[in-house]
Coordinates of all heavy atoms in Angstrom, one line a residue:
M1 N 31.7 41.2 20.8 CA 31.3 41.9 19.5 C 31.8 41.0 18.3 O 31.0 41.2 17.3 CB 32.2 43.2 19.6 CG 31.8 44.1 18.4 SD 30.2 44.7 18.6 CE 30.3 46.1 17.6
G2 N 32.7 40.2 18.5 CA 33.1 39.4 17.3 C 32.0 38.3 17.0 O 31.9 38.1 15.7
W3 N 31.2 37.9 17.9 CA 30.3 36.9 17.4 C 29.1 37.6 16.8 O 28.4 36.9 15.9 CB 29.8 36.2 18.8 CG 29.2 36.9 19.8 CD1 29.7 37.6 20.8 CD2 27.7 37.2 19.9 NE1 28.8 38.3 21.5 CE2 27.6 38.0 21.0 CE3 26.6 36.8 19.2 CZ2 26.3 38.4 21.5 CZ3 25.4 37.2 19.7 CH2 25.3 38.0 20.8
I4 N 28.8 38.9 17.1 CA 27.7 39.6 16.4 C 28.1 39.8 14.9 O 27.4 39.6 14.0 CB 27.4 41.0 17.0 CG1 26.9 40.8 18.4 CG2 26.5 41.8 16.2 CD1 26.7 42.0 19.2
I5 N 29.4 40.1 14.7 CA 29.9 40.3 13.3 C 29.8 38.9 12.6 O 29.5 38.9 11.4 CB 31.3 40.8 13.3 CG1 31.3 42.3 13.8 CG2 31.9 40.9 11.9 CD1 32.5 43.0 14.1
A6 N 30.2 37.9 13.3 CA 30.1 36.6 12.7 C 28.8 36.1 12.3 O 28.6 35.5 11.2 CB 30.7 35.4 13.7
L7 N 27.7 36.5 13.1 CA 26.4 36.2 12.8 C 25.9 37.0 11.6 O 25.3 36.4 10.7 CB 25.4 36.5 13.9 CG 25.6 35.5 15.2 CD1 24.6 36.0 16.3 CD2 25.3 34.1 14.7
I8 N 26.3 38.2 11.5 CA 25.9 39.1 10.3 C 26.6 38.6 9.1 O 25.9 38.4 8.0 CB 26.2 40.6 10.6 CG1 25.3 41.0 11.8 CG2 26.0 41.4 9.3 CD1 25.7 42.4 12.3
V9 N 27.9 38.4 9.1 CA 28.7 38.0 7.9 C 28.2 36.6 7.5 O 28.1 36.3 6.3 CB 30.2 38.1 8.2 CG1 30.9 37.5 7.0 CG2 30.6 39.6 8.3
G10 N 28.0 35.7 8.5 CA 27.5 34.4 8.2 C 26.1 34.3 7.6 O 25.9 33.5 6.6
G11 N 25.2 35.2 8.1 CA 23.9 35.4 7.5 C 24.0 35.9 6.0 O 23.3 35.4 5.1
I12 N 24.9 36.8 5.8 CA 25.0 37.3 4.3 C 25.6 36.3 3.5 O 25.1 36.1 2.3 CB 25.9 38.6 4.4 CG1 25.1 39.8 5.1 CG2 26.3 39.0 2.9 CD1 26.0 41.0 5.4
A13 N 26.6 35.6 4.0 CA 27.2 34.5 3.2 C 26.3 33.4 2.9 O 26.1 32.9 1.7 CB 28.5 34.0 3.8
G14 N 25.5 33.0 3.9 CA 24.5 31.9 3.7 C 23.4 32.4 2.7 O 23.0 31.6 1.9
W15 N 22.9 33.7 2.8 CA 21.9 34.2 1.9 C 22.4 34.2 0.5 O 21.7 33.7 -0.4 CB 21.5 35.6 2.4 CG 20.6 36.2 1.5 CD1 19.2 35.8 1.2 CD2 20.8 37.4 0.8 NE1 18.7 36.7 0.3 CE2 19.6 37.8 0.0 CE3 21.8 38.3 0.8 CZ2 19.5 38.9 -0.8 CZ3 21.8 39.4 -0.1 CH2 20.6 39.6 -0.8
L16 N 23.7 34.7 0.3 CA 24.1 34.7 -1.1 C 24.4 33.3 -1.7 O 24.1 33.1 -2.9 CB 25.5 35.6 -1.1 CG 25.4 37.0 -0.9 CD1 26.7 37.7 -0.7 CD2 24.4 37.7 -1.9
A17 N 24.9 32.4 -0.8 CA 25.0 31.1 -1.3 C 23.8 30.4 -1.6 O 23.6 29.6 -2.7 CB 25.8 30.2 -0.2
S18 N 22.8 30.6 -0.8 CA 21.4 30.0 -1.1 C 20.8 30.5 -2.4 O 20.1 29.9 -3.1 CB 20.4 30.3 0.0 OG 20.1 31.6 0.2
M19 N 21.1 31.9 -2.7 CA 20.6 32.4 -3.9 C 21.4 31.8 -5.1 O 20.7 31.5 -6.1 CB 20.8 33.9 -3.9 CG 19.8 34.6 -3.0 SD 20.1 36.4 -2.9 CE 19.8 36.9 -4.6
V20 N 22.6 31.6 -5.0 CA 23.4 30.9 -6.1 C 22.9 29.5 -6.3 O 22.8 29.0 -7.5 CB 25.0 30.9 -5.8 CG1 25.7 30.0 -6.6 CG2 25.5 32.3 -5.7
M21 N 22.5 28.8 -5.2 CA 22.2 27.4 -5.3 C 20.7 27.3 -5.5 O 20.2 26.1 -5.4 CB 22.6 26.6 -4.1 CG 24.1 26.5 -3.9 SD 25.0 25.7 -5.3 CE 24.5 24.1 -5.0
N22 N 19.9 28.3 -5.7 CA 18.4 28.3 -5.9 C 17.7 27.6 -4.7 O 16.8 26.8 -4.9 CB 18.0 27.6 -7.1 CG 18.5 28.4 -8.4 OD1 18.5 29.6 -8.4 ND2 18.8 27.7 -9.5
R23 N 18.1 27.9 -3.5 CA 17.5 27.3 -2.3 C 17.0 28.5 -1.4 O 16.6 28.3 -0.2 CB 18.4 26.5 -1.5 CG 18.8 25.2 -2.3 CD 19.6 24.2 -1.4 NE 18.9 24.0 -0.1 CZ 18.3 22.8 0.2 NH1 18.1 21.9 -0.8 NH2 17.7 22.7 1.4
D24 N 17.0 29.7 -1.9 CA 16.6 30.9 -1.1 C 15.1 30.8 -0.6 O 15.0 31.2 0.6 CB 16.8 32.1 -1.9 CG 16.8 33.4 -1.0 OD1 17.3 33.4 0.1 OD2 16.2 34.3 -1.5
A25 N 14.3 30.2 -1.4 CA 12.9 30.2 -1.0 C 12.7 29.1 0.3 O 11.8 29.4 1.0 CB 12.0 29.8 -2.1
S26 N 13.5 28.2 0.4 CA 13.3 27.1 1.3 C 14.1 27.3 2.6 O 14.0 26.6 3.6 CB 13.7 25.8 0.8 OG 15.1 25.7 0.5
M27 N 14.9 28.5 2.7 CA 15.6 28.7 3.8 C 15.2 30.0 4.5 O 14.9 30.9 3.9 CB 17.1 28.8 3.4 CG 17.7 27.5 2.9 SD 19.4 27.7 2.4 CE 20.3 28.3 3.8
G28 N 15.2 30.1 5.8 CA 15.0 31.3 6.5 C 16.2 31.9 7.1 O 17.4 31.4 6.7
I29 N 16.1 33.0 7.8 CA 17.3 33.7 8.2 C 18.2 32.9 9.2 O 19.4 32.9 9.1 CB 16.9 35.0 8.9 CG1 18.2 35.9 9.1 CG2 16.1 34.8 10.1 CD1 17.8 37.3 9.5
F30 N 17.6 32.0 10.0 CA 18.3 31.2 10.9 C 19.3 30.3 10.1 O 20.4 30.1 10.5 CB 17.4 30.4 11.8 CG 18.1 29.4 12.7 CD1 18.8 29.8 13.8 CD2 18.1 28.1 12.4 CE1 19.4 28.8 14.6 CE2 18.7 27.1 13.2 CZ 19.4 27.5 14.3
W31 N 18.7 29.5 9.1 CA 19.4 28.6 8.4 C 20.5 29.3 7.5 O 21.5 28.7 7.2 CB 18.6 27.7 7.5 CG 17.9 26.7 8.5 CD1 16.5 26.7 8.7 CD2 18.4 25.7 9.2 NE1 16.2 25.7 9.6 CE2 17.4 25.1 9.9 CE3 19.8 25.2 9.4 CZ2 17.6 24.0 10.8 CZ3 20.0 24.3 10.3 CH2 19.0 23.6 11.0
N32 N 20.1 30.4 7.1 CA 21.3 31.3 6.3 C 22.4 31.5 7.2 O 23.6 31.4 6.7 CB 20.6 32.6 5.8 CG 19.8 32.5 4.6 OD1 19.9 31.5 3.9 ND2 18.8 33.3 4.4
I33 N 22.2 31.9 8.5 CA 23.2 32.1 9.4 C 24.0 30.8 9.7 O 25.3 30.8 9.6 CB 22.7 32.8 10.7 CG1 22.2 34.2 10.5 CG2 23.9 32.9 11.7 CD1 21.4 34.7 11.6
V34 N 23.3 29.7 9.9 CA 24.0 28.5 10.2 C 24.8 28.0 9.0 O 25.9 27.7 9.2 CB 22.9 27.4 10.6 CG1 23.6 26.0 10.6 CG2 22.3 27.7 11.9
V35 N 24.2 28.1 7.8 CA 25.0 27.7 6.6 C 26.2 28.6 6.4 O 27.3 28.1 5.9 CB 24.0 27.7 5.3 CG1 24.8 27.6 4.1 CG2 23.0 26.6 5.5
G36 N 26.0 29.9 6.6 CA 27.2 30.9 6.4 C 28.3 30.5 7.4 O 29.5 30.6 6.9
C37 N 28.0 30.3 8.6 CA 29.0 30.1 9.6 C 29.7 28.8 9.4 O 30.9 28.7 9.4 CB 28.4 30.2 11.0 SG 27.9 31.9 11.5
I38 N 28.9 27.7 9.1 CA 29.5 26.4 8.8 C 30.3 26.5 7.5 O 31.4 25.9 7.4 CB 28.5 25.3 8.8 CG1 27.9 25.1 10.2 CG2 29.1 23.9 8.3 CD1 26.7 24.2 10.3
G39 N 29.8 27.2 6.6 CA 30.4 27.4 5.2 C 31.8 28.1 5.4 O 32.7 27.9 4.7
S40 N 31.9 29.0 6.4 CA 33.1 29.7 6.7 C 34.2 28.7 7.1 O 35.3 28.8 6.6 CB 33.0 30.7 7.7 OG 34.2 31.4 8.0
V41 N 33.9 27.8 8.0 CA 34.7 26.8 8.4 C 35.2 25.9 7.3 O 36.4 25.6 7.0 CB 34.1 25.9 9.5 CG1 35.0 24.7 9.9 CG2 33.9 26.8 10.8
I42 N 34.1 25.5 6.4 CA 34.5 24.6 5.3 C 35.4 25.3 4.2 O 36.3 24.8 3.8 CB 33.3 24.1 4.7 CG1 32.5 23.2 5.6 CG2 33.5 23.4 3.3 CD1 31.0 22.8 5.1
G43 N 35.0 26.6 4.0 CA 35.8 27.4 3.1 C 37.3 27.6 3.6 O 38.2 27.5 2.8
N44 N 37.5 27.7 4.9 CA 38.9 27.8 5.4 C 39.5 26.5 5.4 O 40.8 26.5 5.1 CB 38.8 28.4 6.9 CG 38.7 29.8 6.9 OD1 39.4 30.6 6.3 ND2 37.8 30.3 7.7
L45 N 38.8 25.5 5.5 CA 39.5 24.1 5.3 C 40.0 23.9 3.9 O 40.9 23.2 3.7 CB 38.5 23.0 5.8 CG 38.3 22.9 7.2 CD1 37.1 21.9 7.6 CD2 39.6 22.5 8.0
I46 N 39.2 24.4 3.0 CA 39.5 24.3 1.5 C 40.6 25.3 1.1 O 41.6 24.9 0.5 CB 38.2 24.4 0.7 CG1 37.3 23.3 0.9 CG2 38.6 24.5 -0.9 CD1 35.9 23.5 0.3
A47 N 40.3 26.5 1.4 CA 41.2 27.6 1.0 C 42.6 27.6 1.7 O 43.6 28.0 1.0 CB 40.6 29.0 1.1
G48 N 42.6 27.2 3.0 CA 44.0 27.3 3.7 C 45.0 26.4 3.0 O 46.0 27.0 2.6
P49 N 44.7 25.0 3.0 CA 45.8 24.3 2.3 C 46.0 24.4 0.9 O 47.2 24.4 0.4 CB 45.3 22.8 2.6 CG 44.3 22.9 3.6 CD 43.7 24.3 3.5
L50 N 45.0 24.7 0.1 CA 45.1 24.8 -1.4 C 45.7 26.1 -1.8 O 46.6 26.2 -2.7 CB 43.7 24.6 -2.0 CG 43.2 23.2 -1.9 CD1 41.8 23.1 -2.6 CD2 44.1 22.1 -2.5
L51 N 45.2 27.3 -1.3 CA 45.6 28.6 -1.7 C 46.5 29.3 -0.7 O 47.0 30.3 -1.0 CB 44.3 29.4 -1.9 CG 43.3 28.7 -2.9 CD1 42.1 29.7 -3.1 CD2 44.0 28.6 -4.4
G52 N 46.6 28.9 0.5 CA 47.4 29.5 1.5 C 46.7 30.8 2.0 O 47.3 31.7 2.5
V53 N 45.3 30.9 1.8 CA 44.5 32.0 2.2 C 43.6 31.5 3.4 O 43.1 30.5 3.4 CB 43.8 32.6 1.0 CG1 43.0 33.7 1.4 CG2 44.7 32.9 -0.1
S54 N 43.4 32.4 4.3 CA 42.5 32.2 5.3 C 41.7 33.5 5.6 O 42.2 34.6 5.4 CB 43.0 31.6 6.6 OG 43.9 32.7 7.2
G55 N 40.4 33.3 6.1 CA 39.6 34.5 6.4 C 38.7 34.1 7.6 O 38.4 32.9 7.8
S56 N 38.3 35.1 8.4 CA 37.5 34.9 9.5 C 36.2 35.7 9.4 O 36.3 36.8 8.9 CB 38.3 35.2 10.8 OG 37.4 35.2 11.9
V57 N 35.1 35.1 9.8 CA 33.9 35.9 9.7 C 33.7 36.8 11.0 O 32.9 37.6 11.0 CB 32.6 34.9 9.7 CG1 32.5 34.2 8.3 CG2 32.5 33.9 10.8
Q58 N 34.7 36.6 11.9 CA 34.6 37.4 13.1 C 35.2 38.8 12.9 O 34.8 39.7 13.6 CB 35.3 36.7 14.3 CG 34.5 35.6 14.8 CD 35.2 34.9 16.1 OE1 36.3 35.3 16.3 NE2 34.5 34.1 16.7
E59 N 36.1 38.8 11.9 CA 36.7 40.1 11.5 C 36.2 40.4 10.0 O 36.7 39.7 9.1 CB 38.2 40.1 11.6 CG 38.7 39.8 12.9 CD 40.2 39.5 13.0 OE1 40.8 39.5 11.8 OE2 40.7 39.3 14.0
F60 N 35.4 41.3 9.8 CA 34.8 41.5 8.4 C 35.9 41.9 7.4 O 36.6 42.8 7.6 CB 33.7 42.5 8.4 CG 33.1 42.7 7.1 CD1 32.3 41.7 6.6 CD2 33.5 43.8 6.3 CE1 31.8 41.9 5.3 CE2 32.9 44.0 5.0 CZ 32.1 42.9 4.5
S61 N 36.1 41.1 6.5 CA 37.0 41.3 5.3 C 36.4 40.6 4.1 O 35.6 39.7 4.1 CB 38.4 40.8 5.6 OG 38.3 39.3 5.6
L62 N 36.7 41.2 3.0 CA 36.2 40.7 1.7 C 36.7 39.3 1.5 O 35.9 38.4 1.0 CB 36.7 41.6 0.5 CG 36.1 41.3 -0.8 CD1 34.5 41.3 -0.7 CD2 36.5 42.2 -1.8
T63 N 37.9 39.0 1.8 CA 38.4 37.6 1.8 C 37.6 36.7 2.6 O 37.3 35.6 2.2 CB 39.9 37.6 2.2 OG1 40.7 38.6 1.4 CG2 40.6 36.3 1.9
G64 N 37.4 37.0 3.9 CA 36.6 36.1 4.7 C 35.2 36.0 4.2 O 34.7 34.8 4.3
L65 N 34.5 36.9 3.6 CA 33.3 36.9 3.1 C 33.3 35.9 1.9 O 32.4 35.0 1.7 CB 32.7 38.2 2.6 CG 31.2 38.2 2.1 CD1 30.3 37.7 3.1 CD2 30.9 39.6 1.7
I66 N 34.2 36.1 1.0 CA 34.3 35.2 -0.2 C 34.5 33.8 0.2 O 34.0 32.8 -0.4 CB 35.4 35.7 -1.2 CG1 35.0 37.0 -1.9 CG2 35.6 34.7 -2.3 CD1 36.0 37.8 -2.6
I67 N 35.4 33.5 1.1 CA 35.7 32.1 1.6 C 34.5 31.6 2.2 O 34.1 30.4 2.0 CB 36.9 32.2 2.6 CG1 38.2 32.5 1.8 CG2 37.0 30.9 3.3 CD1 39.4 32.6 2.7
A68 N 33.7 32.4 3.0 CA 32.5 31.8 3.6 C 31.4 31.5 2.5 O 30.7 30.5 2.7 CB 31.9 32.9 4.6
I69 N 31.3 32.4 1.6 CA 30.4 32.1 0.5 C 30.7 30.8 -0.3 O 29.8 30.0 -0.5 CB 30.3 33.3 -0.5 CG1 29.6 34.5 0.2 CG2 29.5 32.9 -1.7 CD1 29.7 35.8 -0.6
V70 N 32.0 30.7 -0.6 CA 32.4 29.4 -1.3 C 32.2 28.1 -0.5 O 31.6 27.2 -0.9 CB 33.9 29.5 -1.7 CG1 34.4 28.2 -2.3 CG2 34.0 30.6 -2.8
G71 N 32.5 28.3 0.8 CA 32.3 27.2 1.7 C 30.7 26.8 1.9 O 30.3 25.7 2.0
A72 N 29.9 27.9 1.9 CA 28.5 27.7 2.0 C 27.9 27.1 0.7 O 27.0 26.2 0.8 CB 27.8 29.0 2.4
I73 N 28.5 27.4 -0.4 CA 28.0 26.7 -1.7 C 28.4 25.3 -1.6 O 27.5 24.5 -2.0 CB 28.7 27.5 -2.9 CG1 28.0 28.9 -3.0 CG2 28.5 26.7 -4.1 CD1 28.6 29.8 -4.1
V74 N 29.6 25.0 -1.2 CA 30.0 23.6 -1.1 C 29.1 22.8 -0.1 O 28.5 21.7 -0.4 CB 31.4 23.5 -0.6 CG1 31.9 22.0 -0.3 CG2 32.4 24.0 -1.7
L75 N 28.8 23.5 1.0 CA 27.8 22.8 2.0 C 26.5 22.5 1.4 O 25.9 21.5 1.5 CB 27.7 23.7 3.2 CG 26.7 23.2 4.3 CD1 27.2 21.8 4.9 CD2 26.7 24.2 5.4
L76 N 25.9 23.6 0.7 CA 24.6 23.4 0.1 C 24.6 22.4 -1.0 O 23.6 21.7 -1.3 CB 24.1 24.7 -0.4 CG 23.7 25.7 0.7 CD1 23.3 27.1 0.1 CD2 22.5 25.2 1.5
A77 N 25.7 22.3 -1.7 CA 25.8 21.3 -2.7 C 25.8 19.9 -2.2 O 25.1 19.0 -2.7 CB 27.1 21.5 -3.7
I78 N 26.4 19.7 -1.1 CA 26.4 18.4 -0.4 C 25.1 18.1 0.2 O 24.6 16.9 0.0 CB 27.4 18.4 0.8 CG1 28.9 18.5 0.2 CG2 27.4 17.2 1.7 CD1 30.0 18.8 1.2
V79 N 24.4 19.1 0.7 CA 23.0 18.9 1.2 C 22.1 18.6 0.0 O 21.3 17.7 0.2 CB 22.5 20.2 1.9 CG1 21.0 20.1 2.3 CG2 23.2 20.3 3.2
N80 N 22.3 19.2 -1.1 CA 21.5 18.9 -2.3 C 21.6 17.5 -2.7 O 20.6 16.8 -3.2 CB 21.7 19.8 -3.5 CG 21.1 21.2 -3.3 OD1 20.2 21.4 -2.5 ND2 21.6 22.2 -3.9
L81 N 22.9 17.0 -2.8 CA 23.2 15.6 -3.1 C 22.5 14.6 -2.2 O 22.1 13.6 -2.6 CB 24.7 15.3 -3.2 CG 25.4 16.1 -4.4 CD1 26.9 15.8 -4.3 CD2 24.9 15.4 -5.8
I82 N 22.6 14.9 -0.9 CA 22.0 14.0 0.1 C 20.5 13.9 -0.1 O 19.9 12.9 -0.1 CB 22.4 14.4 1.5 CG1 23.9 14.1 1.7 CG2 21.6 13.7 2.6 CD1 24.5 14.8 3.0
Q83 N 19.9 15.1 -0.3 CA 18.4 15.2 -0.3 C 18.0 14.6 -1.7 O 16.9 13.9 -1.7 CB 17.9 16.6 -0.3 CG 17.9 17.2 1.1 CD 17.4 18.5 1.3 OE1 17.2 19.2 0.3 NE2 17.1 19.0 2.5
R84 N 18.8 14.7 -2.7 CA 18.4 14.1 -4.0 C 18.4 12.6 -3.9 O 17.6 11.9 -4.4 CB 19.3 14.6 -5.1 CG 18.8 14.1 -6.5 CD 19.8 14.6 -7.5 NE 19.9 16.1 -7.4 CZ 20.8 16.8 -8.0 NH1 21.8 16.2 -8.7 NH2 20.9 18.1 -7.9
G85 N 19.4 12.0 -3.2 CA 19.5 10.6 -3.0 C 18.4 10.0 -2.1 O 18.0 8.9 -2.3
R86 N 17.9 10.9 -1.2 CA 16.8 10.4 -0.3 C 15.5 10.3 -1.0 O 14.7 9.5 -0.6 CB 16.8 11.4 0.8 CG 15.8 11.0 2.0 CD 15.7 12.0 3.1 NE 17.1 12.1 3.7 CZ 17.4 13.0 4.6 NH1 16.5 13.9 4.9 NH2 18.6 13.0 5.1
V87 N 15.2 11.2 -2.0 CA 14.0 11.2 -2.7 C 13.8 9.9 -3.6 O 12.7 9.4 -3.7 CB 13.9 12.5 -3.6 CG1 12.7 12.4 -4.5 CG2 13.8 13.7 -2.7
R88 N 14.8 9.5 -4.2 CA 14.8 8.4 -5.2 C 14.6 7.1 -4.4 O 14.9 6.6 -3.6 CB 15.9 8.4 -6.0 CG 15.9 9.5 -7.0 CD 17.1 9.5 -7.9 NE 17.1 10.6 -8.8 CZ 18.1 11.0 -9.6 NH1 19.1 10.2 -9.8 NH2 17.9 12.0 -10.4

């Protein structure tokens, strides 16, 4: 049951992050889920040592969702930098 919640929360986090980064039109539901789940890992790597806070997408909580969104925004920013460098 935890993995179903992780997919749902990851999808929501990825979708919100893609809206913030103006990439919503180029991403489908699959990539929103992938970005949200990977973003949760990145967010926990950032928030854990710096703030002493951790959250999990397997157990729905507001803290876990916010951490996943921040991590997904960081992931999309890195992808944008890589793609921008590839075009030039």
Side-chain angles (χ1 to χ4, degrees):
M1 185 68 159
W3 64 274
I4 294 173
I5 295 172
L7 292 177
I8 293 170
V9 173
I12 292 170
W15 174 63
L16 291 172
S18 68
M19 288 178 63
V20 169
M21 297 298 290
N22 292 326
R23 293 191 50 106
D24 192 38
S26 65
M27 295 177 58
I29 190 167
F30 174 76
W31 288 112
N32 284 334
I33 293 171
V34 170
V35 166
C37 290
I38 294 173
S40 176
V41 173
I42 293 171
N44 278 312
L45 288 174
I46 294 170
L50 293 178
L51 304 175
V53 178
S54 66
S56 172
V57 293
Q58 291 183 345
E59 302 168 357
F60 181 73
S61 68
L62 187 59
T63 305
L65 181 63
I66 291 170
I67 289 173
I69 292 170
V70 170
I73 290 172
V74 169
L75 177 63
L76 288 175
I78 292 169
V79 169
N80 284 342
L81 287 174
I82 292 171
Q83 285 182 346
R84 188 177 306 160
R86 190 180 295 170
V87 172
R88 291 181 182 177

